[in-house]
Amino acid sequence: MTETINAGAAGTWQLGDLTVNRMGYGAMRLAISGDGRLDRDQAIAVLRRAVELGVNHIDTAAFYFSPLRSANELISTALNPYPDDLVITTKVGPGRALDGSFLPEATPEQLRLQVEENIRQLGRDHLDVVNLRIGSTLDRGAGSLADRFGALAELRQKGLIRHLGISNVGPEHLAEAQAIAPVVCVQNQYGLTVRREDDDLVRLCADQKVAFVPFFAIASGAEDETVTAIARDHGVSPAQVRLAWTLHQGPNVLAIPGTGSVEHLEENIAAASLRLSEAELARLDGVNGHEPGRGE
């Protein structure tokens, strides 16, 4: 890939009235790095480089913190005053104690405190997009979200939140939330070889003009030989192929890969310009026995 590296190469999508490039950035690893050794100055450099490369959609949360740093504080330090076109998406729902342990999901009353905490940490007077996260990564949310989503809808009416989304959900939650207030995005774990049961949800979101935002889209463990072969053919990394496959699932699909390395950041964003052929997509759709069926 010889094109100039820019997040806009994959096109744009509307989160309500906010236009974002489909290639974004997830900030979790800035605060919760795998080996705990991420340097603060390095984290700030990654954020600033992301914006230089056209990223205008950053995903974060107040519960992204470690004993040494907070993702929200790093974002504010690196980027405030914020570019006019920068959209910061946050999540509420889970709570974490100061020792890092997760608390029970927030009650409707606690959600306002979480929203206010995000606003304070980011140095904003409102939040662009707030996702209600239910359940955990290993346990998709179950049961009604009406009372909690309704509480966030009230905060939207009061001007503390511009747009709403939901995370770790099924189609029944999307229908339930849409009946309460407009939903601009669904954020679930999803990837080429992860939770492909959401293929239909990706298409449902597309039909409703709702963004689908996968997290952990390039997590793979041992790499599949098909992915490796296609990466070799293009002279790119397997992670870039996985990101490109993700973006090919439909114009409403937004990528938010995270990293604490400027080099890996540039590699991820370069994947916005990687175009896979129909034959390559068919081969990838066959990984792990999945049938083709993209939302384009």
Side-chain angles (χ1 to χ4, degrees):
M1 300 185 311
T2 60
E3 296 96 333
T4 301
I5 300 173
N6 189 277
T12 63
W13 184 258
Q14 293 292 129
L15 292 173
D17 61 347
L18 303 171
T19 303
V20 297
N21 289 327
R22 293 178 60 217
M23 180 64 78
Y25 177 77
M28 182 183 72
R29 293 188 184 182
L30 295 184
I32 313 173
S33 60
D35 58 12
R37 295 181 296 177
L38 180 64
D39 179 80
R40 175 182 174 80
D41 290 340
Q42 181 182 345
I44 290 173
V46 167
L47 286 163
R48 290 176 175 166
R49 183 59 175 151
V51 171
E52 287 175 358
L53 295 176
V55 168
N56 61 2
H57 175 216
I58 295 177
D59 178 80
T60 185
F63 57 83
Y64 289 168
F65 69 84
S66 69
L68 296 178
R69 58 188 60 85
S70 151
N72 281 354
E73 186 274 327
L74 288 168
I75 290 169
S76 181
T77 298
L79 303 177
N80 198 356
Y82 298 107
D84 290 342
D85 68 338
L86 180 63
V87 174
I88 300 177
T89 298
T90 57
K91 283 181 290 297
V92 297
R96 289 181 70 199
L98 293 179
D99 65 2
S101 61
F102 276 92
L103 304 171
E105 292 184 63
T107 64
E109 294 74 21
Q110 291 169 330
L111 288 173
R112 180 185 180 101
L113 297 177
Q114 291 190 2
V115 167
E116 291 175 343
E117 181 181 18
N118 277 282
I119 288 173
R120 181 177 64 255
Q121 291 178 355
L122 290 168
R124 308 291 294 270
D125 59 7
H126 72 282
L127 299 175
D128 296 325
V129 182
V130 174
N131 285 313
L132 172 64
R133 174 67 177 270
I134 64 176
S136 67
T137 300
L138 297 177
D139 177 23
R140 180 157 291 185
S144 174
L145 53 65
D147 57 345
R148 289 166 289 170
F149 193 77
L152 294 180
E154 291 179 6
L155 297 181
R156 176 175 172 267
Q157 290 292 330
K158 293 178 180 179
L160 294 180
I161 300 170
R162 192 162 182 170
H163 298 295
L164 295 172
I166 50 179
S167 177
N168 212 36
V169 297
E172 71 279 8
H173 297 113
L174 177 58
E176 185 179 31
Q178 289 277 51
I180 297 169
V183 174
V184 300
C185 56
V186 168
Q187 186 181 109
N188 280 5
Q189 184 177 10
Y190 177 76
L192 175 62
T193 53
V194 180
R195 290 200 168 173
R196 290 295 300 278
E197 63 268 24
D198 271 355
D199 285 354
D200 289 340
L201 181 57
V202 174
R203 291 188 283 272
L204 177 64
C205 287
D207 290 343
Q208 298 186 23
K209 306 300 182 185
V210 173
F212 188 89
V213 190
F215 59 86
F216 297 155
I218 57 178
S220 64
E223 190 52 84
D224 182 89
E225 62 181 21
T226 300
V227 178
T228 301
I230 292 174
R232 187 184 311 115
D233 290 343
H234 284 272
V236 300
S237 70
Q240 287 174 300
V241 170
R242 286 176 176 269
L243 280 172
W245 177 90
T246 298
L247 290 168
H248 277 77
Q249 297 315 294
N252 66 314
V253 178
L254 312 182
I256 51 168
T259 179
S261 160
V262 170
E263 180 182 359
H264 288 159
L265 169 75
E266 292 176 349
E267 181 181 287
N268 289 341
I269 293 177
S273 63
L274 175 57
R275 301 294 182 260
L276 301 174
S277 69
E278 289 298 320
E280 288 170 331
L281 289 167
R283 288 168 62 194
L284 290 170
D285 275 329
V287 170
N288 288 356
H290 291 292
E291 293 296 327
R294 299 184 310 282
E296 291 188 289

